[in-house]
Amino acid sequence: MKLIHTLAVTTALAAVFAAAPAYAQTRIALVVKSLGNGFFEAAARGAEEAAGELGDVEIIYTGPTEPTAEAQIEVVNSLIAQQVDAIAISANDPDALVPALQRAMQRGITVISWDSGVAPEGREMHLNPSSNDLIGNTIIKLSADHLPDGGDVAILSATATATNQNIWIAEAEKVLPDYEGINLVATVYGDDQSDKSYREAQGLISSYPGLKAIIAPTTVGIVAAAQAVTDAGKIGEINVTGLALPSEMAAHIKSGASQSFAIWNPIDLGYSATYIAHALATDAATAEPGATISIGRVGEVTIGEDGQAAMAEPFTYDASNIDEFATIF
Ligand code: RAM
């Protein structure tokens, strides 16, 4: 009797162990605006670094080929079908993704946004790279720093629905009156595609003959704009600035197409988003205002009343420091 009982228990336990994985792994999907963007590839490196430290995490780096909300919805639906534990998304639209992300949350998937946010009802919290008003002010200041007498400037953005760029542009417009003589003549959209951004920059150059600066708050747009200014023979006349990766802009700083630009550390951003997604997915933290979540070597973040947290200040790069950082990101 005793033996039969022991055998039964052993068999039952064996069945349990056979069904369960060796250890509970947390699968975190890092969903980006589009693949092939060096900014997101740097963030993915940070996510892998965090996964290595956390030890039980698999990163699924994914996103559409074109930066549209429709294409991201398909990606989200497929992640729901795969039953991932967490989705950390940089969104192509603040509202369009909400129903799909709500479906994910209803199925127990942790959802956060980072870099480019989702409306509060579509995520548990949002991680900003820095404070939005500081970024908005920075992109105008970068152009004004090299225009002591003022002049016409234009913005070359990413997509027209990108949450982050739209907020930064709105913040930039608010502080414009503080920069006497800086005249914003146009805002155009290159959709974070190199070829479209290049054509939009060419359009600005030909439409505004007196243009003194192109401000591109996108790492894709700024490189295309610097190339368009170079090809138009306008180095020294039109300064290209905004947000960029040192690795992608080093040559344009050296040529003088860009005097300076700014960015935060994209590796740290992906690293931090992963730590936060992991903490929420494993119930080590709750996404509520006032909650502090530890993010490994970066420190900790505190969620504000608006369900958002912000990381460090953007750093400015120019000829004096570009080489030092161009090898990092
Ligand atoms: C592009 C993307 C991203 C933005 C950076 C600055 O890579 O639009 O969302 O944060 O630029």
Side-chain angles (χ1 to χ4, degrees):
M1 201 51 201
K2 179 105 190 293
L3 182 66
I4 291 170
H5 179 77
T6 309
L7 270 178
V9 169
T10 311
T11 311
L13 277 177
V16 166
F17 282 119
Y23 56 94
Q25 195 181 46
T26 309
R27 294 160 75 219
I28 301 175
L30 196 70
V31 182
V32 299
K33 284 176 165 177
S34 62
L35 297 173
N37 177 337
F39 176 86
F40 293 122
E41 282 161 11
R45 273 159 50 207
E48 287 295 350
E49 181 192 345
E53 289 172 10
L54 291 162
D56 60 348
V57 173
E58 180 195 348
I59 300 295
I60 302 167
Y61 176 67
T62 180
T65 48
E66 310 248 309
T68 68
E70 295 69 35
Q72 272 188 323
I73 289 169
E74 283 180 30
V75 170
V76 168
N77 285 339
S78 135
L79 292 168
I80 294 172
Q82 291 171 51
Q83 298 180 316
V84 297
D85 297 291
I87 293 174
I89 186 168
S90 169
N92 285 315
D93 188 298
D95 304 311
L97 283 139
V98 166
L101 293 172
Q102 282 183 335
R103 268 197 307 280
M105 289 190 286
Q106 280 155 13
R107 283 162 176 72
I109 298 173
T110 292
V111 175
I112 67 165
S113 52
W114 59 284
D115 180 56
S116 187
V118 174
E121 55 274 24
R123 47 74 174 162
E124 293 173 41
M125 62 87 66
H126 172 66
L127 178 66
N128 286 300
S130 181
S131 86
N132 290 319
D133 51 351
L134 182 62
I135 299 171
N137 184 60
T138 299
I139 59 175
I140 294 297
K141 185 175 181 302
L142 283 165
S143 68
D145 281 349
H146 297 279
L147 291 172
D149 302 323
D152 288 353
V153 304
I155 291 176
L156 169 65
S157 189
T159 63
T161 59
T163 321
N164 53 349
Q165 273 92 8
N166 283 347
I167 293 173
W168 301 333
I169 292 168
E171 293 293 340
E173 285 170 348
K174 276 191 215 161
V175 296
L176 256 182
D178 301 343
Y179 294 90
E180 218 188 315
I182 301 295
N183 183 26
L184 179 61
V185 294
T187 298
V188 296
Y189 301 90
D191 292 352
D192 268 352
Q193 312 269 35
S194 296
D195 49 353
K196 179 156 193 256
S197 301
Y198 183 86
R199 286 197 301 276
E200 291 294 337
Q202 278 184 322
L204 290 173
I205 295 166
S206 58
S207 303
Y208 302 95
L211 196 66
K212 294 281 186 285
I214 297 176
I215 302 167
T218 138
T219 60
V220 179
I222 193 170
V223 177
Q227 195 57 50
V229 164
T230 304
D231 295 348
K234 298 276 187 186
I235 292 179
E237 267 178 71
I238 302 176
N239 177 34
V240 177
T241 190
L243 305 173
L245 297 176
S247 58
E248 294 181 350
M249 281 295 278
H252 293 302
I253 287 283
K254 289 189 177 145
S255 75
S258 174
Q259 296 293 327
S260 62
F261 60 84
I263 199 72
W264 42 88
N265 185 325
I267 301 171
D268 288 357
L269 187 59
Y271 175 96
S272 303
T274 301
Y275 260 86
I276 294 168
H278 182 262
L280 298 178
T282 58
D283 293 328
T286 314
E288 57 193 16
T292 294
I293 301 178
S294 62
I295 42 176
R297 62 166 171 77
V298 174
E300 56 183 35
V301 286
T302 301
I303 303 177
E305 285 305 318
D306 54 359
Q308 302 191 35
M311 294 182 60
E313 289 186 11
F315 191 77
T316 299
Y317 299 90
D318 58 21
S320 72
N321 59 8
I322 190 84
D323 283 337
E324 193 186 326
F325 290 91
T327 55
I328 306 174
F329 55 79

